Amino acid sequence: MKYLLLFVIFFPLLAAFFLAFFPEHKKEHQKWIKNFAFQSSLLNFLASLFLWIQFDSSTPKFQYGCFVDWLSSVSAQGEPVYGSSLTLGVDGISLFFIILTTFLTPVCLFTGWSSIQNYVKEYCIAFLVLETLMIAVFCTLDLLLFYVFFESVLIPMFIIIGVWGSRERKIRAAYQFFLYTLFGSVLMLLAILLIFFQTGTTDLQILLSTEFSEKRQFLLFLAFFASFAVKVPMVPVHIWLPEAHVEAPTAGSVILAGILLKLGTYGLLRFSIPMFPEASLYFAPLIYSMSLIAIVYTSLTTLRQIDLKKIIAYSSVAHMNFVTIGLFSLNAQGIEGSLLLMLSHGLVSPALFLCVGVLYDRHKTRILKYYGGCVHTMPVFSAIFLFFTMANISLPGTSSFVGEFLILVGVFQNNPFVAIIAATGMVLGAAYALWLYNRVVFGHFKAPYISYYSDLNRREFWMFVPFILGVTWMGIAPNVFLDPMHCSVANLIG
Amino acid sequence: MIDFILIIPELFLLTATIILLLYGLQSERKNVLSLLSLLSLSSLFFTGLLLWNNPIISCSFFFNACILDHLTFFLKSLIIGSSFGALLISLNFLRISATYSFETIILILFSVSSMMILVSSYDLLPFYLAIEFQSLCFYVLAASKRHSEFSTEAGLKYFLLGAFSSGILLFGFSLIYGFTGITNFEDLAKITMSEALPFSMNLGMVFIGVGFLFKITAVPFHMWAPDVYEGSPTSITAFFAIVPKIAIIGVFLRFFGFCLFFYEWGTILMLSSLGSMMLGSIAAMSQFKLKRLLAYSSISHIGFMLIGFCCGSIEGVQALLIYMIVYMLMTTGLFSIALSLKDSVNFRTSFIESINQFSMLAMTNPILALSLTILLFSMAGIPPLAGFCSKFYLFFAALSSSLNVLACVGVLTSVISCFYYIRLIKIMYFESPFLDYHCFPFRLSFQNSFILAFVTTFIVFFFVYPSPLFLLAHKTAIALCF
């Protein structure tokens, strides 16, 4: 079974490697390349589903474990002094993130089917490499290697934003993305080295049973937090996100919103909370207040934005801060709710970006004031957009509702005041999302600006179907997703 | 007589060089250059073979004036390897740029042999003599492009400052000798271990430290580096940037680490390291000439290497050695690109100077652009490339010697330095070209593409299995300390 996980991780890399040797001179070649990349990522998605099927939800242990000796050296006396190894494993927390990653990568390749015209081969390679790195982040159980994969996502993402982004401002966006993330995470590197220096290992399973002194826990927690807060993004360091989202190509936004934002919250859950429990308890109020500010502030900011993608990006910030509130409620409901909200946001937000991508492909603008009355020209699109808008404001019956509800339940036990303020975020979310929908879809059709129009084509329609299925499934039968998490989460907080 | 067996590689290289010099003088053929370069490469190769087949691993000889151990073996291999690489990538450049005389190659070979002697010196006297031999070759090389004002100026500056720093170094040596009456490293080590040092001894050490920092272009004494880098012919710059640093850092590693103890040096080197990292990364931000940019980037890398010095632990030395190898490979790769891209306007003769000329490279030569991107990301220390592995180990060593400030400043400056490395990537990929102001797409010469491919592969795949290099560096570091 351990080879299944290795297969899921490295198959995209292998595919990218083969792809690198494909010729790319003619139009047919491009078609081959797209087909090959798409099919191999689809195959990887199917393989990752087997991870879920074979998953044993009655144990908190890491499954599909795999251990590859990576770096070791011996001292003069012959005993090992330095060791870091590629320890892989999947538990209930990381299982769905892996599946989400493998699910979104084919979508990314699919959405660029016709809109990506230049550097097609490089596009496919970049996404396949990115997929490998992201899956590796979710299943590595070694701090140092977690850092390595966490950071190395920057390289393909930098190139994706910079090369296939749409406007001149993309360079600035790519820079901001790169430097913000790097600046945050180097502090984590120091923290990891400090941990290694104290304990002599970077293996997570050993570190979970290690006690750090309180003072050092605070220091380490803050260093980790600096990195994760940028990735989440928490409020003072969220500026990179709207920029990067707006300038990225549609597929880039899908990955950014779907996976990269989850890296921060995943890191908080996987490393910060179990390794530094006292510090987590101590800093919970800080994180509550930062998240509350973020929820209210970004929801209000959204009202003033006129760029479609920026609006959705800011709503992502709000949702991700909901997730952090849930995480630091430090009880099972809250954490499971935030896991579910992460998954749900990983479906809803990419779908919304795909919607914007559909509009952009047709009209080449994302400025809100040129749109209006889409329902007259694009009825199918309007229906789908409505569905995801509703999912975004967590209508009961959609996946987000379950997540946000559990988070509010969890945090209410802990701190009712936080729950009340966070609940206003839902109202504000409804305000901006509905108003956005109103402005884009209803009203008069703005004929002076839009001379050519067409509804969704078949490819685009089928692109949305899995998202709709996922969101409804998760909303109606959340237990399917919650069951594998129970043991791991209980183990984590217990 | 047995002592001479131990320096067979050096003897062979010196003899070969002299024979090549005579041959070059005698020969009247036009293509003497290509033949000579081939011969010089093969003589370097055979020197390497001789070095690797040397049966005696560790001993000291010539009345304890020279030493052979794992460290010298490691450094000599590195020197030969890197100079082989540097010579290989500049062959095409030497052939194309008109101002060429075959003595360049001869001087490079001489400097290589002097550096080999330098790293195995175990006494102040051969130490100083070898350093001077080496510097003298470089003064001539820097000024070798006689018709260019830049090159002459660079040569002059380099000579003046180099001679000055050698003077300081020599004064430090004489102070040490004057107060101890000893020039041998081993005896010096015994003396410095045994008793509290007199003030004048410290003074001598400070002078030696200053000379050292001069030679490796660390911060308060770095001012010559950008000018010399820029003025010298690019092939010579490549050589400067790669090889002598290995030798000088190596021999001072022995000197500071073994002979005069670390603690006295800690503060000086730490300050210099801090300064180098900060100045290197901040000053490089406003550079638009390629070679100046590389000069400042090398200053900041020197700052990182000095962290390894300051640690004074086995991990520190090990990290330094790993960093040195990785840095050497990355620089070779970068220069193999810099030595082959030509200006679009007069592409027969003129090589690129400004970094703006990299625009369009991603269009005209995507593979080259990709490898350059990988190299630059690695220079910036982005995982999972080799540059990251070497950096993180350095920070680990710094933290384990509780040099927290150095480690923090190190990571922060490495973020700052990302800014100018990715600016080059930005220019290549995202920027629309200035018309007729970009580099000319053409085929790299075989040697350069080979070196580039080798380096890029190493950088990408080093992460997969880094253990051998770590073990090797560990072994070498232990050999130094025991």
Side-chain angles (χ1 to χ4, degrees), chain A residues 70 74 151 171 175 182 196, chain B residues 383 396 418 423 426 463 467 474:
Chain A
W70 178 62
V74 285
E151 278 287 272
I171 297 167
Y175 255 79
L182 193 68
F196 176 74
Chain B
F396 166 66
C418 273
R423 185 170 63 195
K426 179 193 89 178
F463 171 73
S467 291
H474 192 69

Side-chain angles (χ1 to χ4, degrees), chain A residues 24 112 153 171 196 235 248 277 458:
Chain A
E24 191 200 15
V153 169
I171 297 167
F196 176 74
V235 128
R458 188 172 296 158

Side-chain angles (χ1 to χ4, degrees), chain B residues 175 179-180 191-192 195-205 264:
Chain B
L175 279 177
F179 281 95
T180 56
I191 283 198
T192 49
E195 58 192 274
L197 300 174
F199 170 72
S200 344
M201 187 88 172
N202 282 340
L203 199 65
M205 285 191 199
E264 306 292 329

Side-chain angles (χ1 to χ4, degrees), chain B residues 321-346:
Chain B
L321 296 176
I322 292 168
Y323 200 96
M324 216 144 81
I325 294 183
V326 172
Y327 174 70
M328 175 205 106
L329 282 167
M330 290 188 304
T331 321
T332 315
L334 273 181
F335 271 103
S336 80
I337 293 174
L339 280 167
S340 18
L341 289 181
K342 273 171 263 177
D343 199 341
S344 62
V345 182
N346 38 9

Side-chain angles (χ1 to χ4, degrees), chain B residues 129-380:
Chain B
L129 289 178
I131 265 197
E132 275 308 279
F133 187 9
Q134 187 255 144
S135 308
L136 210 56
C137 295
F138 282 135
Y139 303 148
V140 183
L141 283 174
S144 63
K145 205 166 156 190
R146 283 190 304 273
H147 306 295
S148 147
E149 284 174 22
F150 284 115
S151 179
T152 10
E153 186 200 337
L156 188 63
K157 267 187 186 162
Y158 189 33
F159 171 67
L160 283 178
L161 288 165
F164 183 58
S165 66
S166 298
I168 288 176
L169 197 65
L170 190 61
F171 187 55
F173 285 167
S174 8
L175 279 177
I176 296 264
Y177 174 68
F179 281 95
T180 56
I182 291 168
T183 55
N184 186 272
F185 283 11
E186 204 171 310
D187 301 334
L188 271 175
K190 279 173 199 154
I191 283 198
T192 49
M193 291 284 244
S194 60
E195 58 192 274
L197 300 174
F199 170 72
S200 344
M201 187 88 172
N202 282 340
L203 199 65
M205 285 191 199
V206 170
F207 275 109
I208 294 173
V210 169
F212 165 64
L213 294 179
F214 248 116
K215 297 275 181 209
I216 60 164
T217 71
V219 131
F221 312 105
H222 65 282
M223 33 326 197
W224 58 273
D227 291 340
V228 173
Y229 268 54
E230 196 196 350
S232 320
T234 314
S235 56
I236 305 301
T237 312
F239 202 72
F240 274 163
I242 304 166
V243 192
K245 278 177 189 141
I246 298 170
I248 290 174
I249 287 184
V251 71
F252 273 98
L253 199 58
R254 183 187 300 287
F255 186 66
F256 290 159
F258 176 75
C259 157
L260 298 178
F261 215 54
F262 270 114
Y263 301 116
E264 306 292 329
W265 298 99
T267 330
I268 297 177
L269 293 183
M270 230 185 287
L271 286 176
S272 167
S273 160
L274 281 177
S276 307
M277 287 189 293
M278 288 200 266
L279 184 123
S281 48
I282 291 169
M285 273 203 257
S286 56
Q287 300 301 325
F288 286 92
K289 293 266 181 79
L290 179 67
K291 280 196 275 177
R292 284 188 92 82
L293 182 79
L294 287 177
Y296 279 108
S297 116
S298 89
I299 290 175
S300 83
H301 282 285
I302 282 293
F304 283 113
M305 289 188 212
L306 282 178
I307 295 182
F309 254 103
C310 302
C311 293
S313 60
I314 292 183
E315 276 101 20
V317 177
Q318 186 186 352
L320 174 63
L321 296 176
I322 292 168
Y323 200 96
M324 216 144 81
I325 294 183
V326 172
Y327 174 70
M328 175 205 106
L329 282 167
M330 290 188 304
T331 321
T332 315
L334 273 181
F335 271 103
S336 80
I337 293 174
L339 280 167
S340 18
L341 289 181
K342 273 171 263 177
D343 199 341
S344 62
V345 182
N346 38 9
F347 62 86
R348 296 283 331 151
T349 51
S350 156
F351 288 80
I352 61 164
E353 283 172 355
S354 156
I355 59 169
N356 283 329
Q357 287 165 316
F358 276 114
S359 63
M360 288 280 280
L361 192 65
M363 294 279 211
T364 56
N365 204 337
I367 306 271
L368 192 64
L370 185 68
S371 355
L372 186 51
T373 308
I374 290 172
L375 278 172
L376 290 168
F377 272 127
S378 170
M379 284 284 234

Side-chain angles (χ1 to χ4, degrees), chain A residues 70-72 74-75 82 119 144-145 147-148 151-152 155 162-163 171 175 178-179 182-183 186 190 193 196-197, chain B residues 362-363 377 382-384 388 392 395-396 399-400 408 411-412 418-419 423 426 430 463-464 466-467 470 474:
Chain A
W70 178 62
L71 171 62
S72 55
V74 285
S75 73
Y82 183 79
Y119 296 121
L144 187 66
L145 288 169
Y147 174 81
V148 168
E151 278 287 272
S152 51
I155 300 178
V163 175
I171 297 167
Y175 255 79
F178 197 90
L179 291 177
L182 193 68
F183 187 76
V186 286
L190 285 184
L193 292 177
F196 176 74
F197 174 59
Chain B
M363 294 279 211
F377 272 127
I382 306 294
F388 165 74
F392 101 80
F395 296 140
F396 166 66
L399 282 181
S400 66
C408 286
V411 289
L412 294 183
C418 273
F419 182 78
R423 185 170 63 195
K426 179 193 89 178
F430 313 148
F463 171 73
V464 178
S467 291
F470 276 76
H474 192 69

